[in-house]
Amino acid sequence: MTSSLHSPPITTTTVTAEDGGATGFSDLHPYIIEAHILTRLDGPTLASTSCSSNALHHLSSENHLWSRVCHSTWPSTATPRISHIISTFPDAGHRTFYSQSFSLPSSENKQIHDLESENLTSPPELISAVDIHYKHKTIFSNVQETETTSSWFQSSPFRIDMIDPKEVISTPIKHPSDDDTCTDLIEHMTLSWILIDPIGRRSINLSSFKSVSVQRHWLTGEVQVRFTSILTVDQKRGHVQCEIVVTCGGSEVGEMQVREVSLGVEDMDGTHLNGRESLVILQKVLEGKRGNGANRGEIGRKRYKEFLEMRRERKEKKLRREGTLDSLCVAFGILIFVAFWCFLFCLSR
């Protein structure tokens, strides 16, 4: 299905049996190219191919090709609701959607001047299309619609759940029993969380694709797999992380069950942002610059490590500041105490 991202330009020649001569690739019938070659390419390779020549650009722009790529990459996009929304995107729909959803949120986006006072022009709903793969096989795919206009949503901690509390998703994966099997999840489990603004016709993938951490609870045996996106906010908060947590438990026969798939937004102090603050950030991300998503997993892990380091430094700085204030308070208290006894001593003389 896929082809290398670094494949050389297409200069294939075909030797004919009649005269032993050679014909260029462009001499092939367009139907042969479109139906038997372009359909075998993945998204990045198809995009690269469209830049090779005007003829290939025309053939590679066919919407059915990009529809196939979207559905094979993200099975959740094949649902009627998502397919209809994608069809409203500009410039052939699926191609634009793939370009936006494959790209990486840029770390160079402008900071929000003030998160609390920023005017909010959010859409009435956001749609999440989530797909989880293990060793390139789909183990979870779902679509969730979230309304954003109620006061309850905007004032409560921002959280989107893809699975009902009483629901579990069975998988063929063996439930991790030690650190070695947890390492297997780090290497082979991937996740995509595409957030869609149906009114603005924009989308963004908030997942690091590969997990940034896997933790197994020593008592219950539950495993939490984390995926993140680190976003720039304002000078007060610095950065926030869109944290996606996949919680898995074991079944009676030893197979892993997906029990929770959730998204939340957390600042560098570990505080969960409410719905309104999160919508301001997500709206800026949807409208902001994008980077190349080819190395999403490696970039995501690097940004997560940098975020943890900034969080550690911020915590240490806060502790030092609090320690300095405590010392000043103690010194001031001692000074008042000494002054009081000096005053009493002077009165007694």
Side-chain angles (χ1 to χ4, degrees):
M1 167 188 154
T2 61
S3 177
S4 171
L5 294 177
H6 305 287
S7 300
I10 301 175
T11 57
T12 306
T13 58
T14 303
V15 180
T16 63
E18 296 178 355
D19 54 9
T23 58
F25 177 83
S26 58
D27 293 330
L28 291 175
H29 194 281
Y31 174 79
I32 300 297
I33 298 175
E34 181 180 337
H36 298 282
I37 297 177
L38 298 182
T39 54
R40 298 175 180 269
L41 304 181
D42 63 3
T45 311
L46 185 60
S48 299
T49 302
S50 68
C51 300
S52 300
S53 67
N54 290 333
L56 286 176
H57 176 77
H58 176 73
L59 293 174
S60 300
S61 299
E62 292 294 331
N63 190 61
H64 73 88
L65 294 174
W66 291 101
S67 175
R68 180 197 61 82
V69 168
C70 288
H71 296 169
S72 61
T73 306
W74 309 299
S76 59
T77 60
T79 60
R81 169 71 164 147
I82 300 298
S83 294
H84 171 70
I85 293 174
I86 294 175
S87 68
T88 66
F89 275 53
D91 300 329
H94 283 87
R95 182 177 182 177
T96 301
F97 177 82
Y98 183 88
S99 175
Q100 294 183 6
S101 302
F102 182 78
S103 62
L104 190 70
S106 175
S107 60
E108 299 178 357
N109 284 329
K110 293 182 179 180
Q111 288 189 347
I112 299 170
H113 178 67
D114 186 359
L115 190 59
E116 283 77 10
S117 62
E118 189 77 12
N119 291 327
L120 181 63
T121 56
S122 64
E125 68 172 350
L126 291 174
I127 300 178
S128 299
V130 179
D131 299 283
I132 304 177
H133 291 82
Y134 179 77
K135 294 184 177 180
H136 307 292
K137 293 183 178 180
T138 304
I139 62 173
F140 177 83
S141 182
N142 196 16
V143 174
Q144 181 74 32
E145 300 177 7
T146 305
E147 65 83 23
T148 64
T149 57
S150 67
S151 58
W152 177 86
F153 173 84
Q154 295 197 10
S155 60
S156 301
F158 178 82
R159 180 184 172 98
I160 299 177
D161 288 291
M162 299 301 297
I163 301 178
D164 292 333
K166 297 182 179 180
E167 183 182 3
V168 295
I169 307 299
S170 299
T171 71
I173 307 172
K174 182 181 177 182
H175 183 65
S177 57
D178 50 35
D179 293 338
D180 290 337
T181 47
C182 285
T183 303
D184 185 68
L185 290 178
I186 294 177
E187 296 300 326
H188 299 295
M189 179 180 282
T190 59
L191 180 144
S192 169
W193 190 302
I194 301 177
L195 195 69
I196 304 171
D197 172 8
I199 303 300
R201 295 179 295 178
R202 299 186 182 95
S203 65
I204 190 72
N205 199 327
L206 296 175
S207 174
S208 54
F209 184 64
K210 294 183 179 180
S211 63
V212 296
S213 71
V214 177
Q215 296 178 332
R216 180 176 179 272
H217 194 280
W218 66 274
L219 182 60
T220 63
E222 280 194 339
V223 176
Q224 287 192 332
V225 188
R226 283 180 168 80
F227 304 81
T228 65
S229 275
I230 307 303
L231 308 175
T232 304
V233 190
D234 55 17
Q235 293 183 351
K236 178 181 178 180
R237 286 183 168 87
H239 295 77
V240 300
Q241 66 166 336
C242 291
E243 185 181 46
I244 302 167
V245 180
V246 180
T247 302
C248 304
S251 66
E252 296 179 355
V253 295
E255 293 179 344
M256 191 174 74
Q257 297 176 329
V258 180
R259 298 178 178 175
E260 178 184 294
V261 181
S262 63
L263 168 69
V265 181
E266 185 180 278
D267 65 14
M268 295 181 67
D269 294 324
T271 303
H272 290 274
L273 275 61
N274 62 31
R276 185 190 184 283
E277 295 170 332
S278 300
L279 285 176
V280 172
I281 296 171
L282 294 175
Q283 193 70 18
K284 292 295 183 181
V285 173
L286 284 164
E287 298 172 354
K289 297 179 180 179
R290 311 291 179 93
N292 191 337
N295 297 316
R296 175 183 295 271
E298 290 72 17
I299 295 174
R301 288 174 177 175
K302 178 182 177 182
R303 289 183 180 179
Y304 180 67
K305 290 181 180 179
E306 293 173 348
F307 177 80
L308 293 181
E309 180 64 21
M310 289 187 292
R311 171 181 281 183
R312 184 189 63 81
E313 293 176 355
R314 184 184 179 97
K315 184 177 181 180
E316 290 179 352
K317 184 178 180 180
K318 184 178 181 180
L319 289 175
R320 287 196 300 268
R321 183 169 61 248
E322 291 177 350
T324 301
L325 291 175
D326 290 342
S327 298
L328 290 175
C329 289
V330 171
F332 183 74
I334 294 175
L335 180 63
I336 295 297
F337 179 79
V338 172
F340 175 75
W341 282 104
C342 289
F343 175 74
L344 292 180
F345 178 76
C346 292
L347 290 178
S348 63
R349 293 185 63 181

